[in-house]
Amino acid sequence: MRVAQLAKAAAVSSETVRHYTDLGLLRPTRNPDNGYQEYSSTDLQRLRFIARARRLGFSLKDSQQILASADNGDAPCAEVRDLLSERLVSLQAHIEECQRLALVMQNAFADWADKGECAPDGQAICHLIEDFEPDIERRPTMPCPAH
């Protein structure tokens, strides 16, 4: 298979196939008659594996590591479990941070609902941001300077 055929079979872009080839994740051979790269069914299997690993949150570096273990004849399943456990902890921390940020944004939006517009005055760029304190204790807001 050529790049376009492999990409179509795996439902990825040709650029993805080329990138993964450059990273050594895929191992095409050169056709001696025309110099084109030829991909095998093993490359298709590896490409589908990488796509599934990506959907599970594994990085390309993780996929390289897993594939290297498999290429060496080692069972990568324990390594996969460990990597997934790390990714899950990281993802849960990221979700918590996003939820915290969403709450801060909701508070800001509620706080700004009754505030007017102020043009920059040399002291402030945007009073909404500069007066907002995301903590429970808030400092008093400054009124807009007279125009």
Side-chain angles (χ1 to χ4, degrees):
M1 284 180 277
R2 290 200 188 143
V3 170
Q5 294 166 317
L6 180 64
K8 184 176 181 181
V12 300
S13 69
S14 295
E15 291 78 19
T16 296
V17 172
R18 288 186 188 96
H19 181 62
Y20 291 0
T21 300
D22 291 343
L23 293 175
L25 294 166
L26 304 176
R27 300 178 181 149
T29 58
R30 288 270 176 205
N31 182 321
D33 296 330
N34 58 22
Y36 292 141
Q37 290 182 323
E38 298 281 339
Y39 293 89
S40 68
S41 59
T42 300
D43 291 310
L44 178 57
Q45 178 188 25
R46 291 170 73 91
L47 187 54
R48 286 178 175 160
F49 171 84
I50 295 164
R52 285 185 177 180
R54 300 283 291 164
R55 286 192 299 271
L56 277 166
F58 292 99
S59 68
L60 287 178
K61 186 176 179 179
D62 294 336
S63 292
Q64 283 177 313
Q65 189 176 333
I66 295 164
L67 288 169
S69 292
D71 290 344
N72 288 333
D74 300 327
C77 295
E79 182 179 5
V80 167
R81 284 185 187 98
D82 290 344
L83 286 169
L84 188 62
S85 177
E86 291 172 18
R87 296 300 171 273
L88 185 55
V89 168
S90 176
L91 179 61
Q92 287 171 331
H94 182 70
I95 288 169
E96 288 172 13
E97 177 61 21
C98 288
Q99 289 172 331
R100 186 202 61 76
L101 181 57
L103 185 58
V104 168
M105 288 177 166
Q106 289 169 351
N107 290 339
F109 197 70
D111 187 57
W112 297 343
D114 61 347
K115 296 196 177 183
E117 304 292 319
C118 289
D121 63 359
Q123 300 294 318
I125 297 169
C126 176
H127 73 97
L128 297 176
I129 292 173
E130 292 163 330
D131 289 346
F132 183 74
E133 288 293 329
D135 299 329
I136 295 173
E137 293 183 34
R138 297 184 182 196
R139 64 185 170 104
T141 58
M142 303 297 287
C144 288
H147 297 295

